[in-house]
């Protein structure tokens, strides 16, 4: 993957993300010593990273992995889906297994404590993450806790726990959460794989959250339909998925 800076750090805008103030201060000092680099903002957690990337449009994010609320891996997966997202360089004290995963996907990282010469090298080699590379690095980690959609007002995060179902329509997927719905630029098959522990397929174009399952019924035409808690209309269930729905409904609600 070619560097987006082509070995140059001229006018490079950098966002520093770390939940520890001393770590942010150290990185700021290192960056400010480099010609052509400017710190445009700091973030303490993943939500702030997404917000500030939308507002400040940095070229690079120096991103800590272990952060509260939303960690660096999940934040980077969201950034990788932006059309003009920043390059990401992880700052981490992760073990060797994780380092091997990063190496295999050509994802930039710096081991803490960060040294000046290594920072310079990482910035010169920085490249934007591809979705495939970021998802591969994230594979040992838990599924995302949030989905990220683009609204006219900017990026919006949706808590996966509030999602009742996904419905595919050509290249887009609609995510239904609470009383709202939003378009998600992610294929249904990828969502089915990532959230297979919490969602089941009831139709080739529909995934439902097992925790929202209420009941399965047959309509007057003999077609199976599933009702979800909080929804005022049922969803059709294809015959091949009826057994899966019945099995899910037999499990206690707390374990779905």
């Amino acid at each position: 993957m070619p560097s987006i800076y082509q070995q140059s750090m001229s006018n490079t805008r950098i966002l520093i993300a770390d939940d520890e103030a001393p770590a942010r201060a150290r990185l700021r000092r290192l960056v400010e010593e480099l010609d052509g680099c400017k710190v445009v903002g700091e973030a303490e957690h993943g939500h702030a990273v997404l917000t500030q990337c939308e507002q400040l449009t940095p070229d690079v994010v120096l991103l800590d992995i272990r952060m509260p609320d939303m960690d660096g891996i999940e934040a980077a997966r969201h950034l990788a889906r932006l059309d003009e997202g920043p390059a990401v360089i992880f700052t981490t004290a992760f073990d060797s297994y994780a380092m091997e995963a990063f190496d295999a996907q050509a994802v930039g990282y710096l081991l803490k404590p960060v040294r000046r010469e290594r920072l310079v090298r990482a910035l010169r080699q920085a490249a934007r993450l591809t979705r495939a590379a970021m998802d591969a690095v994230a594979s040992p980690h838990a599924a995302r806790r949030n989905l990220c959609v683009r609204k006219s007002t900017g990026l919006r995060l949706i808590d996966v726990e509030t999602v009742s179902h996904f419905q595919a329509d050509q290249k887009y997927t609609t995510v239904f959460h609470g009383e709202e719905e939003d378009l998600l630029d992610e294929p249904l098959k990828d969502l089915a794989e990532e959230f297979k522990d919490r969602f089941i397929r009831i139709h080739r174009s529909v995934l439902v959250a097992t925790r929202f399952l209420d009941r399965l019924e047959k309509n007057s035409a003999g077609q199976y339909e599933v009702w979800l808690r909080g929804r005022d209309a049922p969803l059709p269930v294809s015959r091949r998925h009826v057994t899966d729905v019945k099995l899910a409904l037999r499990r206690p609600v707390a374990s779905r």
Side-chain angles (χ1 to χ4, degrees):
M1 185 186 302
S3 167
I4 61 174
Y5 304 110
Q6 299 177 340
Q7 304 302 313
S8 171
M9 294 190 295
S10 177
N11 300 317
T12 301
R13 297 163 52 82
I14 296 174
L15 175 67
I16 295 172
D18 198 300
D19 63 318
E20 297 183 356
R24 295 197 305 274
R26 174 179 171 76
L27 283 173
R28 177 179 281 275
R29 288 195 299 271
L30 289 175
V31 170
E32 290 177 344
E33 292 174 358
L34 305 179
D35 292 337
C37 294
K38 177 183 179 183
V39 176
V40 295
E42 296 183 10
E44 298 180 11
H45 50 71
H47 287 86
V49 170
L50 299 183
T51 299
Q52 293 201 42
C53 282
E54 182 77 4
Q55 297 173 348
L56 304 174
T57 62
D59 299 306
V60 178
V61 179
L62 298 178
L63 183 59
D64 184 28
I65 289 181
R66 296 183 185 275
M67 294 189 295
D69 194 12
M70 179 193 291
D71 66 20
I73 293 288
E74 181 167 345
R77 292 177 74 182
H78 292 310
L79 293 176
R81 295 183 180 277
L82 299 179
D83 292 336
E84 295 296 332
V88 171
I89 299 172
F90 290 110
T91 60
T92 178
F94 259 28
D95 59 28
S96 58
Y97 175 82
M99 294 302 96
E100 290 173 4
F102 291 152
D103 281 336
Q105 297 300 324
V107 175
Y109 66 89
L110 291 167
L111 290 176
K112 294 181 178 180
V114 176
R115 305 300 183 189
R116 184 180 187 278
E117 61 274 13
R118 292 177 180 174
L119 174 61
V120 171
R121 187 183 308 120
L123 288 171
R124 285 177 173 164
Q125 295 174 346
R128 292 194 178 98
L129 297 173
T130 65
R131 295 186 188 183
M134 194 59 253
D135 287 345
V137 169
S139 60
H141 297 260
R144 286 172 293 170
R145 291 180 294 175
N146 301 274
L147 300 168
C148 187
V149 297
R150 184 179 292 278
K151 308 287 285 186
S152 59
T153 53
L155 296 179
R156 180 185 181 186
L157 292 173
I158 300 170
D159 186 341
V160 175
E161 289 295 309
T162 69
V163 175
S164 62
H165 62 293
F166 298 100
Q167 186 161 354
D169 182 13
Q170 297 182 357
K171 65 177 293 187
Y172 291 101
T173 299
T174 301
V175 51
F176 295 83
H177 54 108
E179 298 181 355
E180 301 179 71
E181 58 185 77
D182 286 287
L183 284 180
L184 191 64
D185 185 17
E186 299 187 40
L188 196 69
K189 65 180 181 64
D190 289 356
L191 294 167
E193 176 60 27
E194 181 178 355
F195 299 110
K196 59 187 176 184
D197 293 337
R198 288 183 281 173
F199 287 76
I200 61 170
R201 194 182 290 271
I202 64 167
H203 188 277
R204 63 184 178 86
S205 62
V206 181
L207 291 176
V208 300
T210 55
R211 66 190 298 268
F212 279 89
L213 287 173
D214 184 33
R215 64 189 187 277
L216 180 69
E217 296 179 345
K218 273 188 177 181
N219 60 23
S220 58
Q223 168 70 47
Y224 278 101
E225 296 175 327
V226 69
W227 289 82
L228 304 180
R229 290 184 293 102
R231 312 301 302 188
D232 57 7
L235 296 169
V237 180
S238 62
R239 289 189 179 277
R240 64 179 297 189
H241 296 298
V242 169
T243 299
D244 293 337
V245 176
K246 288 181 177 179
L247 290 173
L249 280 166
R250 287 173 189 164
R251 295 199 299 269
V253 174
S255 65
R256 292 181 192 169

